[in-house]
Amino acid sequence: MPLNIIEKFSISYMQILDEKGNVDPELEPDLSRDDLLKLYHYMTLSRMVDSRMLNLQRQGRLGTLPACTGQEASFCASVLAIKNTDWFAGSYRELGGRLMRGDSLLNLLYLYNGFEEGSYNYENNRTLPISIILASQLPHAVGLAYGSRLQGEKDTVALVLFGDGSTSEGDFHEALNFAGVLNAPVVFLCQNNQYAISTPRKLQTKSATIAQKAIAYGIPGIQVDGNDVLAVYKSVKDAVTRARNNEGPSLIEAFTYRMLMHTTADDPTRYRDDQEVERWKEKDPLKRFKIFLTNKKLWDDKKQLDLENELKQTIDETVKQFESKNDFKPDAPFDYVFEHPGSTLEEQRMDFLENLKKETEND
Amino acid sequence: MTKINMVQSLNRTLHQIMESDEKVLIMGEDVGLNGGVFRVTEGLFEKYGRKRVIDSPIAESSILGVAIGMAISGLKPVVEMQFSGFSYLMMHQLEGNASRMRTRSRGQFTVPLVVRMPYGGGIRALEHHSESKEVYFAHTAGVKVVIPSSPSNAGLLLKAAINDPDPVIFMEPKRSYRSFKENVSDDNEKITLGSAQILKRGDDITIISWGAMMRDTLKAVQDLEEETGFNPEVIDLLTISPMDTRTIVESVKKTGRCVIIQEAQKSFGPASEIIALINDQALMYLEATVKRVTMYDVPFPLFGRELLYMPSIEKIKRAVLETLNE
């Protein structure tokens, strides 16, 4: 008997705004002037904050930091596609997206200077804190989406961001499968930046794309140009619409590039060559978005200069504010262990404070 | 004799063992071309190639699971968890399989593998990069837990761990990775797993520690010796599990006093186990309550406050003096 093909699959790639700034009018999403400018504002802010924090780190004024430069379209345009009432979970490489959700530079500076006070201060409390343990936030997103739906929120969805390295973890596969089975309204967005520290994408999986992993779990998957704001926005928006309409979860692979180091503790020259980095500079997400806005008569050199000056001033002021704070409460790490700490922890806090007093007396 | 740091000592041992034993294989995240994030596996990929030095996908559970299969097949995998904070994903393979394969197969299959992982605080790291959770592993029967404290014992212990016929969790105190150098001899010195080391013999008090805390403990002891002229016995545990009970009990019977310095949080740690051991076997010899200097039972603080929470030379000195004067 001949073999019959019982299922066929394919994976699409979407690009709307190319490296030169050309746009595909058929696919161009309907974004208001305000939204476009907001997106550009946050992408620029993200780039400038990233660079400033790296400088502060090099001067020893901050600890180890992840670098986000080059991925602004992926994390900003995806966040723009959800509402404040939706859930957002991510890892640690979505700086601009987190700023859009209401985290502040000041808090990030506290956090990366090693103080718990900066670890959570979102205006939007439907945002989960930074998740360093890879892929651990994916099942949370499934639970958030399903949980909100079960509690009567007919419209709420969850967006979760993670990297290519995370797709090797069991949590990635389990979350996609779980979401499919529960028909949970989740959008999984993989920022495929080509490297997990030193490990290139091709050593992470034998699959030709990450998007195709959706097929195994029975959910839609698409690869998009992750440096193209319009493609990221449209793909996420489409997935969000499906999720809102009870059509279940989706996987989006945003094909991008980590322009700098994994973290400041990493030296990328050990494992990749400069030419590769140079080639990706041509694909810069901000550069092509600026051309797009200029062509739409929404942007010009004067506006660019004004924005950069305004953001620089804000950043300078925030850094000053950060550096003037020195009243961190020593026993703060005891504050949020439990709602009801119990005798063990209360005794330990007293012991800690007594010890501290003895040490100050000795000084 | 050459003076080298702990990373160099571990790296040197791995080079020696890879050279002499073809069954030894390295696997983990970024251990190949990058040489590991702390460079412990540096140069192995270039020398032994990708078949024996495997840059694995990011999948801690499968790193151990695959290593179990490799070990049963006859290899001796030495796998790396990039940070101990990422190792919890391998727990079900450790508890459910690595630790029990010998028992379950009635000795037919053994799992001679080593899981290396940097652990511990004091290096201004991000969240999940500073904890000391040796007790998670020590609480698993069938698994040995080893913690070196210096360049000279790190290489010897790693060699012993790789040659051990059972699974060994090898926790590397990353604060001590590059903080000091020692002469490391090239001869065939050996350390046996399960043996603590008496670093200093004395009669007044037994001071026990392990890992990165050993360094601070020795500094505190040196200060107190100069200030008070006391004569302590200092024990480096080296193997957390199975613990060298005899060395501890004999020492405490002799001194009647004991202080334990543990980087991990206070409750349910190895220090608690040592106190229980003393209670079982040396209670009547005690002249003072046994003290522990530990972290607190809070999630490990971010680095802005970590040193306030970790045991320090001052805290150790205070505890020792209090115990001596009790």
Side-chain angles (χ1 to χ4, degrees), chain A residues 60-72:
Chain A
R61 289 145 88 188
L62 290 177
T64 308
L65 283 172
C68 300
T69 289
Q71 298 177 217
E72 293 86 353

Side-chain angles (χ1 to χ4, degrees), chain B residues 139-191:
Chain B
H139 210 83
T140 307
V143 172
K144 295 183 182 178
V145 181
V146 174
I147 301 185
S149 63
S150 70
S152 53
N153 62 34
L156 295 172
L157 281 168
L158 182 57
K159 200 169 169 186
I162 295 171
N163 289 325
D164 194 274
D166 285 300
V168 179
I169 302 292
F170 191 86
M171 301 181 71
E172 300 167 2
K174 56 184 174 294
R175 194 186 189 184
S176 306
Y177 262 163
R178 297 171 192 278
S179 60
F180 62 106
K181 291 185 173 185
E182 276 182 348
N183 284 319
V184 174
S185 65
D186 287 318
D187 58 28
N188 288 327
E189 243 184 282
K190 261 193 177 172
I191 300 185

